[in-house]
Amino acid sequence: MSSSIVNVTPASEQEPQRRLSAIEIGLAIGFGLPFLVGLVDLVFDYFGWSWGPHVGAPWLLGELLIGAALLGLVRYREELPFESVGLHRPVASDFTLGILAYVLLMALMIAIPAIYSLIQQGPAGDLAGPKSFEPLAPGVFTDLRAIPGWLAIAIVVVAGFTTELAVRGFGIERLRTLTGSVVLGAAAAFILDLIAHLPIWGFRYTIMFAPIELGLFALYLWRRRLVPCIVASVLMGVSGFVILSLQTVTVEPSDHLLSGHELYLKGQSREAIKQFDAAIAADPNDAYAYLWRGFAYTDAQDYNRAIADLSRAIRLAPEVSDGYRLRGWAYLYQHDLGHAAPDADAAIRLAPKEADAYDLRAWVEDEKGDYTGEIADLDTAIRLAPDSRGLIKHRGDAYSNHGDRDRALFDYSWMIALDPKNDDAHRYRAIEYALKLDYPRATSEIDSAIKLAPTDAENYATRAQINFVQKKTRDTIADYDAAIKLQPNNLEWLWRRASVYQLTGDYARGLADCNKMIALEPHNGDGYDCRAGKYQMKGDLKNAAADVERGQRVDPNNPGLLSERGDFEAQNGNYSDAIRDLDAAIRLDPTNGTNYGRRGAAYESEGKYERAIEDFDQGIKLTPNESALYGERGLAYSDEGQIQRALQDFATAIRLKPEEPANYVNRAGTYVYQLKDYDRALADLNIALKLDPKDAYSYSLRADVWYQKRDYQRAIADSNAAIKLDPKEPTNYKRRADAESQLRWAWLP
């Protein structure tokens, strides 16, 4: 133990760790950072990613930070004047020399490609052969065309200063200090400069730019003044950017590209992709081949490949708006709004008169819930393309989704004006009229749609829904029969017809439709969900539960089945299990308002009113026209003592669905138990019983009202009606007995 103590050296006596010198830090900043940026650019290029139009500000900031870091090292770490890195006070001759150098170097730059093309004609196997000089990456500089011009010019100017400071000024002077020779220092700086830019420029461009770099090194070594180099470098950068900006893509399309284009227009996406593959193999830098292959992959719903190809197209031709626009659609189909939105913005900036770009941004805004922005962009798109039925429909749908029925009808009428034989527009108008509860006009419109397109199954399915809300059960079934005859494999319509059969009490036919769903898609849980619901309404809870379990086995991630099982569990009082299943259903389908409503009801039954209200809020946000959610939230508010909010929700539920008796019953309950307003309660219950004269609970609640008003004869009559409809409910017998007792003793003073 003592020896180990003796061998310990106090921290204060340990040899201090070596610190990086200012020269090492400066060389790492000047040469290391460009190399790392180039490696990142290589990764972007390998995966087909793009820096995008938002790279400008970070790029400029990075250049400014590099310049500031180098100047700070010289002044504060090395404590040397700026003249030690060639930064002398500018004089007129510096600018004259810089301009002359710029002219000579530009002439050399123009001559180099011609010389290079001669080298390429060398003998086979020569290192100068074209394959040996393929660039590793096109370089981040092509992204300059994707950002605003003023910002690009600022980047070029600052980068010209920073590069000259890092390479010619700090690089040569500090490497001279390390090597003891200005020639060796310059040679080392030259080699480091080429290596640093190799990942960005690629082998070919590094070799091509080497003479330009040598010219700038010679210019600095001649006078050891940095300003002429900065002037020449900045002018060359600005000239290069201007030339780059004025370039237009004038690629002669290859035979493979033309063939692929024709196949795509014929709907043969897979065959088109093969032709685009061949076009890319022949010319790996054909931006339009990547563009069209990305388009075809999007059509084939292979969005990851589409995004990779479209990103590559953007890298090769960042001035073409189509790349951003098409990639934006691919991102949108993946619900990646964070990438879709900037692509839409870039497409609009590059092509402000392209209607489809505004349509793309409008869809992004739709998913974000930005209704004002969506309508504004659709207005612009329609001004640009007033004959586009797709754009007009999109705006009509946007109006419809936000309850603006009249504006929606106007847009659908516009579609009919453009094409009087468009059955779809008549169908959309029919739906709007139905939502306005104008069923005669809705029926007239859908009849017109069927007359125009008697083989369009959607028209019959829509008329079935219109008939259903009018309680025309036979007509509803007949229309679903017609729709299913045209599309016998449509699971949704089979489910709907099964639900109508269920409402008529024809469980056998309802179950038969559910069985057809299972036969058509045995691994889809929806058929089992359908059948479970029919068994449940039939009162056969054992078979209902069994079907839910069967569906879970074949389709364990079916949100409908999880929701159904959660509903069963809630009905049996197992609220924690119900909430667990509904949690899972919501994770799988977070856009289904019904699932939030069911979970909210389970929380409400547990007395967790705040969490219940949160779920009802979310359900209403997702399905703002679902009256049941307002009714449920109203009950939660009522239980929590927020009576005014409860009454507002009940009123909204009634406005949305005045034919639903439960909406009146819910409000009547608040009038009875919270406000003791028996007259208003009676008015609501009378409406509810007129709508559904077989609802036992409505009679039971009205019996309570009569009892409180001391009208015992009517209390007994309503209790009798409730008992007849629901003989297993004990409260009805107790109330009747109490009312009879009150009548027997009514003669007492």
Side-chain angles (χ1 to χ4, degrees), residues 624-680:
N625 295 322
E626 179 55 56
S627 68
L629 290 170
Y630 290 96
E632 290 284 357
R633 189 173 70 178
L635 291 173
Y637 278 137
S638 182
D639 289 337
E640 205 178 34
Q642 299 188 52
I643 306 304
Q644 286 305 314
R645 287 188 171 182
L647 291 175
Q648 287 172 3
D649 272 349
F650 294 142
T652 302
I654 290 168
R655 178 178 57 79
L656 289 170
K657 202 167 185 180
E659 74 278 10
E660 175 55 56
N663 293 332
Y664 300 95
V665 174
N666 289 337
R667 188 167 66 178
T670 297
Y671 283 140
V672 172
Y673 300 118
Q674 303 286 353
L675 297 174
K676 312 299 183 185
D677 189 340
Y678 301 121
D679 291 332
R680 287 184 176 176

Side-chain angles (χ1 to χ4, degrees), residues 613-626:
I613 290 168
E614 287 176 4
D615 270 349
F616 294 137
D617 287 345
Q618 184 62 25
I620 288 168
K621 183 179 179 182
L622 292 167
T623 51
N625 295 322
E626 179 55 56

Side-chain angles (χ1 to χ4, degrees), residues 55-137:
V55 72
W59 189 349
L60 178 60
L61 179 61
E63 294 288 351
L64 289 170
L65 289 175
I66 290 173
L70 289 173
L71 292 174
L73 274 174
V74 172
R75 176 57 60 89
Y76 300 108
R77 180 74 181 270
E78 295 181 328
E79 298 181 348
L80 294 172
F82 291 143
E83 287 81 356
S84 67
V85 290
L87 272 177
H88 299 274
R89 184 181 298 276
V91 294
S93 60
D94 288 337
F95 294 97
T96 303
L97 188 57
I99 292 171
L100 289 173
Y102 156 71
V103 173
L104 292 173
L105 292 174
M106 281 298 293
L108 181 59
M109 182 177 287
I110 293 169
I112 285 173
I115 298 169
Y116 176 72
S117 65
L118 292 174
I119 296 174
Q120 280 190 305
Q121 306 303 319
D126 194 336
L127 188 63
K131 290 187 179 179
S132 300
F133 288 88
E134 282 300 313
L136 290 174

